[in-house]
Amino acid sequence: MNVPLWMWFAVIGFILLMLTVDLVAHRRAHVISVREAAAWSAVWVLFGVAFGGLIWILYGAEFGQQYFAGYLIEKSLAVDNVFVWAIIFTFFAVPREYQHRVLFFGVLGALVFRGLFIAAGAAIIASAGWVLYLFAAFLLFTGYRMLRQRDEHINPAKSRALQLFRRHVPMTDAFHGQRFLIRKNGALLATPLLAVLVLVEVTDIVFAVDSIPAIFAVTDEVFLVFTANAFAILGLRAMYFLLADLIHRFVYLKAGLALVLIWVGIKMALKIDVYYIPTPVSLAVITAILGISIGASLLATRRTDSRQEPPAPAVPPFRNATAEELNSLQPLWRRAGSHEGLPPAEKSMK
């Protein structure tokens, strides 16, 4: 697959353009409604599918099917991200109107980290083909572990990333609007929103360790791996606001995702020296597994409440800053040589 350099720049430029549009459209903090989330989800899916159609036209059916297989894997595994985000936001009682800002920068970071992982993975595979056996074994093990632990959920209170952050970064105990950083009594402090962002980034890195090898099982083309990842990730924010209150209904989805990982692990192990499973077959199997798991989940929970927030702790770990606290905030950045924002005692020493 010969991809000209201008096409790489065009795709990256389009991604940056759409991120800018998304940021401008949500520049004011507000609660994302289900209707708005559904509209944005449709837009992102349309872009992802349209790009796959373009690949199909320009490079043929085989590469088009590889893109769609990778896109479907990434999109389905991303649903697990959505459920984890819902647990994190609920546990920390992050106000709904601030969640989009966290997810915007979380997705931006995810694109950067995954781009690095993809580049590293492609370089390793090119220089040491035997590493595919390790990837295959890792996918099989991860799928098996996910299948056994399908009823277990992340506990944000025990997150090592959060513990390290709180230990080494000075932080306030209250949300201050959409701010990640504030200045108080001359000191620069992180807000709980920044701690939540760090936790969101860490969880995405953990998920990327599973998803990047999985997509390499269906295509060796770095361009397809990157674009399938990018278009799947771009719709994550809208997907979260669409599905966050429905996680209790997808009771069999995690088992379905585990089977997908096991399937692509088998496909990767076989294609090295034994047999290359045709892409249409692989795509059909992945679609069938996900379709059955989602359909069975919705059927089994058809009598439960349609929308329901994840369980929250009795006492949230953080609070919202009072109006007095917000009004007393000092400018975040002060000019060199300026005494503005310093405590009175320090001002008198200048």
Side-chain angles (χ1 to χ4, degrees):
M1 184 178 182
N2 184 22
V3 180
L5 190 60
W6 67 263
M7 186 174 287
W8 277 96
F9 284 121
V11 170
I12 294 174
F14 177 77
I15 291 171
L16 294 177
L17 174 63
M18 291 308 301
L19 285 172
T20 303
V21 170
D22 190 17
L23 183 61
V24 172
H26 299 91
R27 62 187 180 277
R28 292 185 178 180
H30 67 282
V31 177
I32 308 295
S33 67
V34 174
R35 186 173 184 177
E36 182 181 356
W40 276 101
S41 292
V43 168
W44 292 121
V45 170
L46 178 63
F47 284 143
V49 173
F51 185 80
L54 182 64
I55 293 295
W56 197 303
I57 293 171
L58 295 178
Y59 292 99
E62 175 61 24
F63 289 122
Q65 291 166 357
Q66 288 181 16
Y67 168 84
F68 281 116
Y71 178 78
L72 189 58
I73 288 174
E74 294 301 322
K75 201 72 172 175
S76 58
L77 291 175
V79 176
D80 213 14
N81 274 42
V82 167
F83 294 167
V84 171
W85 291 348
I87 293 172
I88 292 173
F89 285 150
T90 302
F91 179 85
F92 294 116
V94 179
R96 281 182 173 264
E97 58 268 28
Y98 307 149
Q99 292 175 4
H100 183 275
R101 183 174 177 84
V102 174
L103 294 183
F104 176 85
F105 287 100
V107 168
L108 186 61
L111 287 170
V112 174
F113 282 116
R114 291 190 181 219
L116 295 174
F117 287 168
I118 290 168
I124 292 172
I125 292 172
S127 60
W130 55 265
V131 79
L132 289 175
Y133 287 110
L134 296 181
F135 282 0
F138 177 74
L139 289 172
L140 290 171
F141 172 75
T142 303
Y144 170 74
R145 184 183 59 185
M146 185 182 291
L147 198 60
R148 289 199 61 183
Q149 301 175 352
R150 59 186 180 276
D151 296 325
E152 298 181 12
H153 302 287
I154 183 176
N155 185 351
K158 296 181 179 180
S159 169
R160 292 183 180 178
L162 181 64
Q163 293 170 2
L164 288 172
F165 183 88
R166 300 189 71 172
R167 185 183 306 160
H168 297 288
V169 180
M171 190 176 76
T172 179
D173 66 341
F175 293 105
H176 288 70
Q178 294 194 95
R179 298 174 180 86
F180 291 119
L181 296 169
I182 63 168
R183 186 173 293 279
K184 188 175 182 181
N185 296 328
L188 192 63
L189 302 173
T191 69
L193 210 61
L194 182 59
V196 173
L197 174 59
V198 169
L199 193 54
V200 166
E201 288 289 5
V202 170
T203 56
D204 183 77
I205 291 174
V206 172
F207 279 110
V209 173
D210 297 338
S211 65
I212 299 302
I215 195 171
F216 271 114
V218 296
T219 179
D220 299 324
E221 298 294 335
V222 178
F223 183 72
L224 298 184
V225 173
F226 174 76
T227 52
N229 255 280
F231 282 105
I233 291 173
L234 284 172
L236 275 185
R237 295 179 307 283
M239 184 190 295
Y240 166 77
F241 291 107
L242 187 63
L243 299 179
D245 296 343
L246 297 174
I247 60 175
H248 61 288
R249 296 204 58 190
F250 292 90
V251 291
Y252 300 126
L253 182 59
K254 199 162 187 177
L257 296 178
L259 293 177
V260 168
L261 288 178
I262 292 173
W263 166 252
V264 295
I266 293 172
K267 173 180 169 60
M268 178 175 279
L270 291 177
K271 83 170 186 177
I272 301 172
D273 293 312
V274 182
Y275 175 70
Y276 177 77
I277 299 175
T279 303
V281 174
S282 182
L283 184 58
V285 171
I286 294 169
T287 303
I289 292 173
L290 294 175
I292 292 173
S293 62
I294 293 173
S297 296
L298 296 177
L299 185 62
T301 59
R302 62 187 182 279
R303 295 183 180 179
T304 53
D305 296 335
S306 57
R307 306 196 73 85
Q308 177 181 315
E309 292 186 0
V315 180
F318 304 116
R319 59 184 179 85
N320 285 314
T322 64
E324 182 180 354
E325 289 175 314
L326 292 174
N327 291 332
S328 66
L329 290 179
Q330 299 159 345
L332 187 59
W333 310 113
R334 56 176 183 265
R335 296 186 298 274
S338 172
H339 299 168
E340 182 181 9
L342 291 176
E346 293 187 34
K347 285 184 180 180
S348 62
M349 297 172 62
K350 301 295 182 180

